[in-house]
Amino acid sequence: MPKILIDPESTSLDHRFAIIKTKRTDRARYPEGCVTVVEDEATALAAAASDRGLHPAIVYGPSSSSEGQRLYYLVRWLA
Protein backbone atom coordinates (compact mmCIF):
# COMPACT_ATOMS: atom_id res chain seq x y z
CA MET A 1 0.00 0.00 0.00
CA PRO A 2 1.20 3.52 -0.70
CA LYS A 3 2.09 5.93 2.04
CA ILE A 4 -0.74 8.43 2.28
CA LEU A 5 -0.14 11.89 3.69
CA ILE A 6 -2.96 12.59 6.15
CA ASP A 7 -4.04 16.18 6.74
CA PRO A 8 -5.37 16.24 10.31
CA GLU A 9 -6.85 19.72 9.81
CA SER A 10 -8.88 18.78 6.73
CA THR A 11 -12.65 18.77 7.05
CA SER A 12 -13.30 16.92 3.77
CA LEU A 13 -10.58 14.24 3.64
CA ASP A 14 -11.21 11.19 5.79
CA HIS A 15 -11.08 7.41 5.96
CA ARG A 16 -14.30 5.95 4.60
CA PHE A 17 -15.83 2.55 3.93
CA ALA A 18 -16.53 2.07 0.25
CA ILE A 19 -17.29 -0.21 -2.64
CA ILE A 20 -14.84 0.15 -5.53
CA LYS A 21 -15.95 -0.94 -9.00
CA THR A 22 -12.82 -2.18 -10.73
CA LYS A 23 -11.28 -5.17 -12.44
CA ARG A 24 -7.79 -4.21 -11.26
CA THR A 25 -7.15 -4.42 -7.53
CA ASP A 26 -3.46 -3.51 -7.78
CA ARG A 27 -3.90 0.25 -8.03
CA ALA A 28 -3.18 2.76 -5.26
CA ARG A 29 -5.88 5.28 -6.18
CA TYR A 30 -9.27 5.24 -7.86
CA PRO A 31 -11.32 7.99 -9.52
CA GLU A 32 -14.44 9.16 -7.72
CA GLY A 33 -16.68 7.63 -10.39
CA CYS A 34 -15.50 4.13 -9.42
CA VAL A 35 -16.03 4.62 -5.67
CA THR A 36 -19.29 4.44 -3.74
CA VAL A 37 -18.95 5.54 -0.13
CA VAL A 38 -21.11 3.50 2.27
CA GLU A 39 -22.15 3.83 5.91
CA ASP A 40 -20.09 1.09 7.55
CA GLU A 41 -17.98 -2.04 7.10
CA ALA A 42 -20.99 -4.39 7.18
CA THR A 43 -22.64 -2.50 4.32
CA ALA A 44 -19.45 -2.58 2.27
CA LEU A 45 -19.03 -6.32 2.82
CA ALA A 46 -22.70 -7.01 1.99
CA ALA A 47 -22.49 -5.08 -1.30
CA ALA A 48 -19.34 -6.87 -2.45
CA ALA A 49 -19.61 -8.95 -5.62
CA SER A 50 -16.17 -9.73 -7.02
CA ASP A 51 -17.74 -11.46 -10.04
CA ARG A 52 -19.23 -8.05 -10.95
CA GLY A 53 -16.06 -6.12 -10.04
CA LEU A 54 -17.43 -4.69 -6.76
CA HIS A 55 -14.82 -4.82 -4.00
CA PRO A 56 -15.19 -3.60 -0.38
CA ALA A 57 -12.44 -1.31 0.87
CA ILE A 58 -11.36 1.45 3.19
CA VAL A 59 -10.37 4.55 1.22
CA TYR A 60 -9.02 8.00 2.04
CA GLY A 61 -10.34 11.05 0.24
CA PRO A 62 -11.66 12.52 -1.88
CA SER A 63 -8.59 14.43 -2.97
CA SER A 64 -8.11 16.57 -6.07
CA SER A 65 -5.47 15.40 -8.52
CA SER A 66 -3.25 17.62 -10.64
CA GLU A 67 -5.43 16.64 -13.62
CA GLY A 68 -8.53 18.05 -11.93
CA GLN A 69 -10.06 14.69 -11.01
CA ARG A 70 -11.25 13.73 -7.55
CA LEU A 71 -9.51 10.60 -6.30
CA TYR A 72 -9.78 8.16 -3.43
CA TYR A 73 -6.63 6.46 -2.15
CA LEU A 74 -6.90 2.79 -1.25
CA VAL A 75 -6.04 2.21 2.41
CA ARG A 76 -6.86 -1.51 2.39
CA TRP A 77 -9.22 -4.08 0.95
CA LEU A 78 -11.79 -5.53 3.34
CA ALA A 79 -12.06 -8.93 1.65
Side-chain angles (χ1 to χ4, degrees), residues 1-65:
M1 294 294 155
K3 289 191 176 187
I4 302 170
L5 297 174
I6 307 287
D7 181 0
E9 296 182 18
S10 174
T11 58
S12 62
L13 299 173
D14 202 2
H15 288 88
R16 305 169 195 278
F17 293 103
I19 294 294
I20 300 177
K21 183 171 178 72
T22 184
K23 292 180 182 179
R24 293 182 52 195
T25 59
D26 61 338
R27 299 173 67 187
R29 58 190 194 159
Y30 292 89
E32 184 177 41
C34 298
V35 178
T36 302
V37 175
V38 296
E39 183 81 19
D40 54 25
E41 183 175 0
T43 305
L45 290 169
S50 60
D51 59 321
R52 293 188 357 233
L54 301 173
H55 305 279
I58 296 176
V59 296
Y60 183 76
S63 178
S64 295
S65 74

